[in-house]
Amino acid sequence: MTSVRSRSPALVAAFQSLGLAASLVAATPPAAAEQIIYANATVIDGTGGPARRDQDILIDGERIVAIGAHGALASQASGARRVDLSGRFVIPGLIDSHVHLATPPNRVRAEAILRRQLYGGVTAVRDMADDLRAVGELSRASLVGEIPAPDIYYAALMAGPSFFEDPRVLAVSRGFTPGTAPWMQAIDKKTDLRAAVTLARGTSASAIKIYANLPAERVKAITTEAHRQKLMIWAHSAVFPARPADVIAAGADSISHVCYLGYEAQPEMLAAYQDRTPVDEARLAANGDDPVVARLFDAMLRRGTILDATGSLFVKFEAARKADPKAKPLRCSGAQTIRLTQQAWRAGLPISTGTDFVDPASNPWPEVHAELRYLAHDVGMPPIAVIHSATLVGARAAGRDKDMGSIEPGKLANFVVLAADPLADINNIEQIEMTVKRGREYRRADYVAPTAKELGNDD
């Protein structure tokens, strides 16, 4: 690895660019505060508690000031603009905990994806490692309201040196030797982890994503140093050759892909991410709880680890893979993915709603709606638990639950107004009249759908 002192001029330029973006966010004045009272709605607050009928929500600028029974906030809201939500249902803004916005960077495509997300009720996303030069600028533009987009929280990636032959690395780190960009670093036993994490932190990332081709010792060492420097760890549930048990024991805050947990039952772990050998599902229980996976879930519960299941990904693409003999095999079948997610739910694990795919322009709704339907219809979670997963659990996964994820005084005014009850039918998530993000209103009637040209065909 290149030392910090000998980094290339391109690295210096990258930090200057990222630092400029951060300073612009800090320097940009907030929009003029406006008091608004959203009156007489049924509020599903995201905490998992029951719906509350006939509620008023008072916001001031970006924040929720108060919530109370209809008419009870009149003395606090004498000059507020009134929005009548009689017969409407309000849920917190949805959070997609697994997206990729810049592999490779394409500003037109990214803005189209983000626009569809926001007008579809998504107010925050976790970007799980891309070209952070592009993602940082998208994050800034969203934060100050230049583009219609959710807030974006993102990770810098770390993996073993052998991973950096992956063509995606070249697409997201042009200008750098693969493995030396501060957002895409190759790690081995000689790496100065204090310096490496400091470089990642300088990108304004919220977390480090531990991706692949690292032994258990390196996974633990990266996690320890990241936490010391106040960065979260968002990891693959199997890092190859590190087992799922190793990743959990290291202290990852969130792990992605429930499917990969099945590798724990195999006597020998795959040596590298590039080995696409699927999970040997014959080693897992065909029905009920698998005992090996149960031990993983017990460890996750003790540590408070969040599961970014990405289940709809495997269900959605299984049929397409079977129809195309040239396609790389999926790690798990859709049925096995469902069984493992059901076991996680029975175990009481917090499950966030990540997607990790992009639908074509023909779909007018964001991908996270598919993950909500997966949890409700395939896994069997009740709608109120699904909404909790898509809101407050997602906020925790991003490290932002003090600011978002539930409808509570003091939190950001991030919520979705629905014309029908999502607790009666999770499909009513698509009865959106308006998304409110940081106090700004985005009415569904104003939505401009992405075109096929904007989105292209590269997922």
Side-chain angles (χ1 to χ4, degrees):
M1 291 288 292
T2 308
S3 70
V4 176
R5 291 182 179 179
S6 62
R7 294 276 173 169
S8 69
L11 177 60
V12 175
F15 271 122
Q16 288 173 339
S17 174
L18 290 162
L20 177 60
S23 67
L24 284 172
V25 169
T28 301
E34 179 188 14
Q35 274 205 337
I36 308 172
I37 189 160
Y38 293 91
N40 205 24
T42 296
V43 173
I44 302 162
D45 65 12
T47 65
R52 304 197 304 273
R53 295 173 59 87
D54 306 319
Q55 298 290 297
D56 292 351
I57 304 170
L58 176 63
I59 76 168
D60 193 337
E62 290 191 336
R63 299 274 169 177
I64 298 170
V65 173
I67 304 168
H70 182 47
L73 306 180
S75 62
Q76 301 178 56
S78 57
R81 176 166 67 89
R82 179 185 173 86
V83 179
D84 184 10
L85 296 185
S86 299
R88 308 304 195 272
F89 299 80
V90 176
I91 63 171
L94 303 175
I95 297 173
D96 190 333
S97 60
H98 201 127
V99 306
H100 292 281
L101 297 171
T103 301
N106 180 331
R107 180 65 180 250
V108 171
R109 173 178 162 85
E111 287 194 19
I113 292 169
L114 291 165
R115 185 172 73 248
R116 179 166 64 183
Q117 288 172 331
L118 182 62
Y119 281 94
V122 180
T123 56
V125 299
R126 287 197 315 170
D127 187 288
M128 298 294 280
D130 283 302
D131 189 330
L132 296 191
R133 293 169 293 192
V135 175
E137 169 54 21
L138 288 166
S139 177
R140 183 207 64 79
S142 170
L143 188 64
V144 300
E146 289 181 1
I147 60 173
D151 286 350
I152 305 166
Y153 304 98
Y154 49 89
L157 181 145
M158 292 185 179
S162 60
F163 168 72
F164 288 84
E165 300 170 0
D166 192 300
R168 292 172 297 176
V169 172
L170 298 176
V172 300
S173 57
R174 290 192 180 277
F176 293 85
T177 301
T180 66
W183 56 89
M184 194 72 48
Q185 295 187 64
I187 305 295
D188 61 22
K189 63 182 179 180
K190 297 179 181 179
T191 302
D192 180 343
L193 287 179
R194 179 172 293 200
V197 172
T198 300
L199 287 169
R201 190 160 56 95
T203 67
S204 298
S206 297
I208 289 171
K209 182 178 182 181
I210 300 179
Y211 196 85
N213 298 18
L214 289 166
E217 177 275 328
R218 286 288 83 185
V219 173
K220 175 64 175 176
I222 293 167
T223 302
T224 299
E225 181 58 29
H227 285 165
R228 190 188 71 80
Q229 294 196 38
K230 311 301 182 187
L231 284 180
M232 300 182 77
I233 289 291
W234 304 338
H236 271 180
S237 59
V239 173
F240 310 111
R243 289 179 172 273
D246 299 325
V247 178
I248 295 164
D253 300 286
S254 171
I255 61 171
S256 296
H257 308 312
V258 67
C259 163
Y260 292 14
L261 294 173
Y263 286 111
E264 186 68 27
Q266 299 186 185
E268 293 188 12
M269 189 61 171
L270 303 184
Y273 174 85
Q274 291 89 333
D275 185 341
R276 303 290 301 185
T277 302
V279 169
D280 183 355
E281 296 184 5
R283 295 184 176 276
L284 297 169
N287 299 290
D289 291 351
D290 180 81
V292 173
V293 175
R295 289 193 289 273
L296 297 178
F297 289 159
D298 286 344
M300 291 173 69
L301 278 169
R302 289 194 301 272
R303 292 181 171 274
T305 313
I306 293 170
L307 177 63
D308 170 31
T310 67
S312 59
L313 168 73
F314 291 88
V315 173
K316 176 182 176 68
F317 288 104
E318 181 177 29
R321 290 295 197 274
K322 287 180 178 178
D324 182 0
K326 295 181 180 178
K328 294 179 181 179
L330 292 173
R331 301 276 185 181
C332 291
S333 67
Q336 186 62 61
T337 301
I338 292 168
R339 284 194 291 270
L340 290 175
T341 312
Q342 288 172 331
Q343 183 172 345
W345 166 243
R346 289 193 295 269
L349 276 181
I351 303 170
S352 67
T353 49
T355 56
D356 200 17
F357 64 89
V358 176
D359 273 333
S362 56
N363 188 350
W365 300 104
E367 295 77 11
V368 75
H369 289 198
E371 191 71 7
L372 270 66
R373 288 192 294 270
Y374 165 79
L375 293 177
H377 300 157
D378 295 327
V379 177
M381 290 169 56
I384 198 162
V386 173
I387 291 169
H388 176 62
S389 287
T391 57
L392 192 54
V393 176
R396 282 181 52 207
R400 302 290 168 171
D401 51 308
K402 291 183 179 180
D403 272 334
M404 62 180 64
S406 58
I407 300 174
E408 299 181 73
K411 288 196 172 184
L412 290 168
N414 290 354
F415 53 85
V416 188
V417 178
L418 304 173
D421 185 0
L423 301 186
D425 184 348
I426 200 64
N427 290 318
N428 286 334
I429 195 67
E430 294 180 354
Q431 297 295 315
I432 295 176
E433 293 190 351
M434 175 170 58
T435 303
V436 177
K437 194 204 85 167
R438 291 181 174 264
R440 296 173 183 256
E441 297 177 351
Y442 298 86
R443 297 183 179 274
R444 182 70 187 181
D446 297 330
Y447 172 56
V448 177
T451 65
K453 183 177 180 180
E454 285 178 308
L455 286 183
N457 58 6
D458 179 24
D459 182 5

